[in-house]
Amino acid sequence: MKSPATALRIAPARPEDVELIVSLVRELAEFERLLHEVRIVPDDLRRDLFGVRPYAEAAIAWVDDAAVGFALWFHNYSTFAGRPGLYLEDLYIRPACRGRGYGEAMLEYLARLAVERGCARFGWAVLDWNEKAIGFYRKLGAMPMVEWTVYRVTGPNLARLARNPDSPE
């Protein structure tokens, strides 16, 4: 990893960081040209990171008192390996802070966490047009899963799928 010019500190997110994380999610969505899809509000994130049943975890990258990025992840499970995996939902480094090794430091932080937790794998998705990120991930040894196609059911289709086939529409 490139040695950052300024000391980087990566720390687990705290409840008081929720509004900051939502702001960073919106910045990420704008970069990915998906801001129109963002629905998250601080209460959602507070519930899902720090509630009775946390569904995800997050960490924030700090330089001095300034947040330079964040990562949000959760565990999945490999039935073939018989072990958990770590899935990175979002990694975002603010544009002005890129090229300083912060993204690589965040990935190293998560890789260490995956190893410490006995995970069989560490994965994520990347938009196919983001050539810079794809090159960065390949440089780190990540390989695309070209034989897999991701499927998703959302909104009305999810509601329709969840209905009992015997119940009226």
Side-chain angles (χ1 to χ4, degrees), residues 37-115:
E37 292 187 15
V38 175
R39 304 284 179 267
I40 195 167
V41 295
D43 285 343
D44 294 334
L45 197 59
R46 189 172 292 106
R47 174 196 63 226
D48 295 337
L49 291 181
F50 304 105
V52 174
R53 182 176 181 191
Y55 290 100
E57 298 175 69
I60 301 174
W62 299 93
V63 172
D64 298 322
D65 291 330
V68 299
F70 85 106
L72 188 140
W73 68 93
F74 54 89
H75 286 282
N76 52 23
Y77 192 81
S78 170
T79 54
F80 287 14
R83 293 182 24 217
L86 192 145
Y87 186 82
L88 175 60
E89 179 67 20
D90 287 322
L91 170 64
Y92 177 70
I93 302 297
R94 288 182 155 151
C97 302
R98 293 181 187 157
R100 300 178 190 177
Y102 301 154
E104 189 170 346
M106 289 291 279
L107 288 170
E108 288 176 0
Y109 173 89
L110 292 169
R112 277 193 305 275
L113 190 63
V115 169

